[in-house]
Amino acid sequence: MSLEFSDKTKKTIYKIIARYPQKEAALLPVLHVIQKEFGQISAEEEILAASLLGISQVKVREVVSFYTMFNRKAVGKYHIQVCSNLTCTLMGADNVLNFIEEKLGIKPGETTPDKKFTLSTVECLGACEKAPSMMINFDYYGYLDKEKINKILDNLE
Amino acid sequence: MKEKVLSEHFSIDNFFKLDVYLKHNGYQAVTKALTELNPEKILKEAKAANLRGRGGAGFPAGVKWGFVPQNGDKPKYLCVNADEGEPGTIKDRYIMTHNPHLLLEGIIISAYCVGINTAYIYIRGEYENIALRLETAIDEAFQKGFLGKDILGSGFDLDITVHRGAGAYICGEETALLESLEGKRGNPRLKPPFPASIGLFQCPTVINNVETLSNIPAIILKGAEWFCALGLPNDGGTRIFGVSGMVKNPGIYELPVGTSLKDLIFKYAGGMKEGKKLKAVIPGGMSAPILKADEIDIAMDCDTLMKADSMLGSGAVIVLDEDTSILDVLKIITKFYAHESCGQCTPCRIGNSWIKKIVTRISQGGGKEGDIDNIARLASNMLGKTLCPLGDAAAMPILSIVKKFRDEIETSIK
Ligand SMILES: Cc1cc2nc3c(=O)[nH]c(=O)nc-3n(C[C@H](O)[C@H](O)[C@H](O)COP(=O)(O)O)c2cc1C
Ligand code: SF4
Ligand code: FES
């Protein structure tokens, strides 16, 4: 079974590749597009990226395993990433994490059985002034407390 | 009111849109640079402005541009460092969110000055929404003829591409950034050769931070003399200080270079939260050696902080209060560097993971005599002995903490 892109995505990818004098340089942006489309970068997606850029699968694997944002297994519909770096910890990140763990019944690295939420901890998100901070998919949330977390999570479909 | 170079318009609605930006003298600097000035004049002005790099190392931007050989036949590249991974650092996010066209102007003028026709903005992967905003701004500028071919009839061409990283602190280090941009793992390169001669795709390359480049338009419009007078003769302009932690009003504060750290915390950021006592400050992002409460009567500029054995770094100020456990701080710092070491060289890979193990053991109540000396020894063995500056970036704060707070850590061991 091989993966197929929509025509629109194909166009996006060719446009990206054209931005670089060497095809391989488009690997990170292309992997972002692939992850968006297929939800993960497993072996199949690696092969797809490799064939698009004319490089070997092992080269893609080397890169995918280096960067934390590439998910080698699919994550839930909402990927909650709680900052565990210095400022957020000073401002109560541990409580944020514990509260979400309890509320969703999962630990960092786990996904809820209904595949709705995946929980992770991450290093500084660059939003320290709003600590404690977290990211859900690509949206940032700050000044977190229990009430706010409840509101945010309960509003996600 | 202090004069602001970068954040003056942050609160204007929709300032990120080109039509609003143009209403506030937008693209006047680009117009002046490309139609009235030549590259030599711009380089002279940039050098005279003593604009020190805002990414961490504080190297003068004009001097860096001057290193790029102008007689080769290879293309040259500009890489904008928007990786913003140094813990505590929030400023580039504000600039790119609220004032993306200012950054674009800075890029256009710098590229024109160095003779560069292709620029990449390497932005941390988490900032997806900001990357989209930048792309929109680039499209707008392209449509108005500020980017693309023969900009404003000057004969100068420039293309800008936004390139997203994917979650690796080390990719903020300039040579790791180049590797990452080439589609590889972010393993730093050995220097020399320096990127100015052999950089992206083996071509001459300038790498500058977002905030550094965003200062260029004002320097072009108002001059180097004005810029130096705003800050210090050797370190011109303002800095966007990001203050976070146990203060009343965490946030960004654009203030002249050389502003006192004490004023920054107590006057601008509202002082300590809940009336607590100040314990210590990390003055320039997590890599900067810590300052104790009695050391904060100090000017925030590159040279003064260096003389105090610390670092202005990215201007990110993290404030710790009396209730903060220094061992917790040490634990987070060591965990971070052990996680972010790329693993290419032994002192950093092994050193950081051992320090993390020792600190974790101490914090779990299993501290032993000699632990602190071992931490200091391992950290000293990284200093100056690694392939890239991440080794130093880890060793310096760790050494400063075990030196300045040895007594407190010892109470957790006995
Ligand atoms: C481990 C490490 C991480 C760094 N991260 C960043 C970063 O996120 N953003 C940045 O602009 N510079 C970062 N730097 C500094 C860059 O290597 C480089 O000095 C800077 O981008 C040069 O631009 P400037 O002269 O305008 O400051 C980092 C350096 C090291 C050693
Ligand atoms: S110092 Fe650390 S991060 Fe830098 S090259 Fe060596 S192992 Fe990699
Ligand atoms: S420490 Fe959490 S966002 Fe920076």
Side-chain angles (χ1 to χ4, degrees):
Chain A
M1 191 184 87
S2 67
L3 299 168
E4 270 296 327
F5 284 125
S6 63
D7 283 345
K8 193 171 154 240
T9 311
K10 260 189 211 151
K11 255 198 180 146
T12 312
I13 287 192
Y14 291 131
K15 256 178 134 168
I16 290 173
I17 293 174
R19 309 292 303 173
Y20 302 88
Q22 295 173 7
K23 250 184 163 181
E24 188 182 342
L27 182 54
L28 257 55
V30 165
L31 286 171
H32 279 301
V33 176
I34 292 180
Q35 177 156 298
K36 200 147 243 184
E37 185 112 342
F38 302 110
Q40 60 184 1
I41 310 279
S42 67
E44 259 185 304
E45 286 82 9
E46 286 170 6
I47 294 169
L48 178 64
S51 71
L52 280 165
L53 301 175
I55 55 179
S56 62
Q57 185 194 350
V58 64
K59 267 208 153 154
V60 180
R61 171 79 52 94
E62 268 181 19
V63 166
V64 170
S65 58
F66 186 85
Y67 297 92
T68 56
M69 283 179 70
F70 295 129
N71 303 315
R72 302 184 58 193
K73 279 198 305 232
V75 292
K77 184 174 178 198
Y78 298 105
H79 189 185
I80 306 171
Q81 303 184 267
V82 179
C83 174
S84 62
N85 207 284
L86 184 53
T87 301
C88 286
T89 304
L90 294 174
M91 308 294 283
D94 288 349
N95 297 335
V96 168
L97 188 65
N98 289 339
F99 182 70
I100 298 178
E101 283 178 1
E102 255 170 54
K103 186 174 165 77
L104 301 179
I106 49 173
K107 297 262 172 213
E110 296 176 355
T111 301
T112 52
D114 62 0
K115 304 236 165 20
K116 188 168 171 188
F117 295 107
T118 298
L119 182 61
S120 306
T121 57
V122 285
E123 298 300 350
C124 177
L125 288 168
C128 325
E129 83 282 26
K130 298 180 182 159
S133 293
M134 69 174 175
M135 198 167 98
I136 301 181
N137 297 343
F138 285 108
D139 294 320
Y140 274 67
Y141 300 91
Y143 310 112
L144 297 173
D145 56 24
K146 288 182 183 172
E147 199 186 329
K148 203 156 173 203
I149 296 167
N150 273 331
K151 223 175 177 173
I152 296 164
L153 295 186
D154 296 346
N155 274 327
L156 293 173
E157 293 283 300
Chain B
M1 251 327 252
K2 300 271 188 206
E3 193 165 0
K4 289 180 177 154
V5 180
L6 309 161
S7 62
E8 191 190 341
H9 300 114
F10 277 7
S11 57
I12 294 176
D13 276 346
N14 291 323
F15 195 70
F16 63 90
K17 293 186 177 160
L18 183 60
D19 52 340
V20 181
Y21 185 71
L22 286 172
K23 279 189 200 132
H24 293 85
N25 303 330
Y27 284 92
Q28 279 192 1
V30 160
T31 307
K32 178 174 175 187
L34 269 59
T35 60
E36 292 171 34
L37 306 175
N38 59 30
E40 293 74 39
K41 267 211 176 112
I42 296 173
L43 184 62
K44 218 175 131 206
E45 205 65 22
K47 279 185 178 164
N50 286 321
L51 167 62
R52 310 277 292 258
R54 269 46 169 165
F59 195 82
V63 177
K64 191 188 287 190
W65 299 354
F67 288 152
V68 177
Q70 289 297 340
N71 46 11
D73 47 14
K74 282 186 181 174
K76 301 189 274 291
Y77 294 102
L78 173 63
C79 294
V80 183
N81 195 339
D83 198 48
E84 192 142 85
E86 180 70 32
T89 314
I90 54 180
K91 66 200 177 62
D92 298 337
R93 194 186 97 229
Y94 275 90
I95 296 175
M96 294 186 287
T97 304
H98 298 289
N99 212 346
H101 285 287
L102 185 71
L103 172 62
L104 295 187
E105 281 206 76
I107 294 172
I108 296 166
I109 298 165
S110 318
Y112 174 66
C113 173
V114 188
I116 291 169
N117 303 113
T118 311
Y120 293 98
I121 304 177
Y122 186 99
I123 184 169
R124 63 178 297 176
E126 291 84 353
Y127 287 175
E128 182 180 74
N129 295 326
I130 303 173
L132 294 172
R133 175 162 291 186
L134 285 173
E135 277 172 353
T136 308
I138 290 169
D139 286 345
E140 288 176 322
F142 191 85
Q143 272 158 25
K144 278 269 179 344
F146 297 121
L147 283 174
K149 295 244 175 289
D150 190 20
I151 300 170
L152 304 177
S154 64
F156 170 65
D157 306 338
L158 179 65
D159 232 342
I160 306 180
T161 299
V162 179
H163 185 101
R164 287 176 57 210
Y169 166 67
I170 190 58
C171 291
E173 192 283 327
E174 56 185 19
T175 62
L177 183 151
L178 298 176
E179 288 286 302
S180 180
L181 238 170
E182 291 181 2
K184 302 176 195 147
R185 295 166 76 91
N187 289 336
R189 297 176 184 171
L190 201 59
K191 288 193 279 193
F194 289 93
S197 47
I198 300 182
L200 188 65
F201 308 123
Q202 302 292 309
C203 298
T205 302
V206 170
I207 301 149
N208 272 127
N209 169 261
V210 167
E211 186 185 356
T212 311
L213 293 172
S214 300
N215 276 295
I216 298 295
I219 293 172
I220 292 299
L221 289 176
K222 299 184 181 173
E225 211 173 299
W226 163 83
F227 194 74
C228 288
L230 191 55
L232 301 173
N234 256 329
D235 194 341
T238 61
R239 299 278 300 224
I240 299 188
F241 297 108
V243 185
S244 70
M246 310 311 277
V247 289
K248 277 207 189 97
N249 305 312
I252 52 153
Y253 296 91
E254 184 180 356
L255 292 163
V257 169
T259 296
S260 126
L261 177 57
K262 197 172 177 182
D263 282 352
L264 182 57
I265 296 170
F266 287 96
K267 200 166 134 194
Y268 296 101
M272 299 300 291
K273 211 174 144 182
E274 289 159 17
K276 298 276 186 191
K277 258 170 66 187
L278 175 71
K279 175 171 191 158
V281 184
I282 297 174
M286 205 153 90
S287 312
I290 200 162
L291 297 173
K292 291 180 89 162
D294 59 7
E295 295 174 306
I296 64 158
D297 218 341
I298 191 169
M300 292 290 276
D301 63 81
C302 295
D303 299 338
T304 305
L305 277 169
M306 197 158 17
K307 269 187 223 130
D309 291 324
S310 187
M311 186 169 94
L312 184 57
S314 60
V317 175
I318 307 172
V319 179
L320 316 178
D321 73 6
E322 54 186 326
D323 295 342
T324 311
S325 143
I326 212 70
L327 190 61
D328 285 348
V329 175
L330 191 60
K331 202 170 89 186
I332 291 168
I333 294 179
T334 55
K335 178 191 81 149
F336 176 73
Y337 288 110
H339 181 251
E340 301 298 338
S341 164
C342 85
Q344 252 192 132
C345 48
T346 316
C348 170
R349 182 184 66 240
I350 305 287
N352 276 313
S353 83
W354 270 108
I355 294 173
K356 178 187 142 187
K357 278 181 200 153
I358 297 170
V359 173
T360 308
R361 181 164 47 67
I362 298 173
S363 71
Q364 289 165 347
K368 292 189 240 168
E369 214 187 298
D371 273 348
I372 298 181
D373 290 329
N374 273 331
I375 294 170
R377 188 174 50 84
L378 286 161
S380 306
N381 278 331
M382 290 195 274
L383 263 188
K385 297 192 181 74
T386 54
L387 201 150
C388 91
L390 185 132
D392 295 343
M396 293 183 309
I398 294 171
L399 282 169
S400 73
I401 287 176
V402 295
K403 188 171 148 211
K404 292 181 182 176
F405 291 95
R406 191 176 179 112
D407 293 352
E408 186 181 329
I409 303 171
E410 263 167 3
T411 60
S412 309
I413 291 180
K414 277 167 200 155

